Amino acid sequence: MIGSRLALLFTLALAAPGCEGPTAPGDRDLLTEARARWRAQNQDSYSVELDRNCFCLLGGRSMRLTVKGGAVVAAEFTDSGSPVDQALLTYIPTVPDLFDLIQDALERRAASFWAEYDPSFGYPTRIEIDYSATTADDEIAYSARNLVFLETTSR
């Protein structure tokens, strides 16, 4: 009797994590609110510091990006001040790209997800995603800070 109860408790403990969604109910609302704050700025030219942590191209590097007209036009590594090769700039996400990354993680129901947003401008300041709990090295994390608008642009 005790053995069967223990087996039942063990089975329930293993099954319980699968019953709970990987994202909190408010994650989509927070994304929508933050994206609206960002769009309200009506800016597509800015500089921002971005850390990218993953097993991927430019992973583990901190960069200062220059975005003009919604595209990364320059970047430099913050540790050395050396420029990022022009051919690699297309691999660096803009703020709207970070919002899209968050949206994708929510739609794909990532195994683990966390996002924080700047309270004034709305841009993502921290993103942590693990798409699959059973796959090694698929995790990705970004942190962004010190965003400065470069010029007023109209979209």
Side-chain angles (χ1 to χ4, degrees):
M1 182 82 160
I2 291 177
S4 63
R5 284 187 186 172
L6 190 56
L8 177 62
L9 287 173
F10 181 74
T11 303
L12 289 173
L14 288 176
C19 295
E20 189 174 311
T23 58
D27 286 334
R28 290 181 193 281
D29 292 338
L30 291 173
L31 172 61
T32 300
E33 292 166 10
R35 193 176 256 166
R37 275 196 312 277
W38 174 255
R39 287 181 177 153
Q41 304 305 312
N42 198 31
Q43 298 285 331
D44 62 3
S45 297
Y46 51 91
S47 66
V48 66
E49 290 178 36
L50 183 72
D51 295 340
R52 180 178 187 155
N53 295 303
C54 57
F55 292 98
C56 59
L57 187 63
L58 299 172
R61 299 300 305 263
S62 179
M63 299 166 276
R64 178 70 146 155
L65 317 179
T66 301
V67 177
K68 290 190 177 176
V72 178
V73 296
E76 67 179 33
F77 295 111
T78 56
D79 59 353
S80 66
S82 62
V84 175
D85 188 287
Q86 286 287 104
L88 299 178
L89 296 182
T90 59
Y91 294 99
I92 301 172
T94 62
V95 168
D97 293 334
L98 294 175
F99 282 123
D100 291 346
L101 178 72
I102 293 168
Q103 182 74 43
D104 178 67
L106 292 173
E107 288 173 1
R108 290 173 52 186
R109 301 185 54 80
S112 176
F113 171 82
W114 179 259
E116 295 176 355
Y117 305 94
D118 181 81
S120 299
F121 300 135
Y123 69 92
T125 56
R126 184 81 185 146
I127 303 168
E128 296 177 15
I129 303 168
D130 183 1
Y131 289 99
S132 171
T134 59
T135 302
D137 302 337
D138 71 323
E139 305 87 359
I140 190 162
Y142 285 97
S143 61
R145 66 196 162 282
N146 300 325
L147 186 134
V148 176
F149 293 114
L150 299 178
E151 56 192 53
T152 302
T153 55
S154 178
R155 286 188 235 167

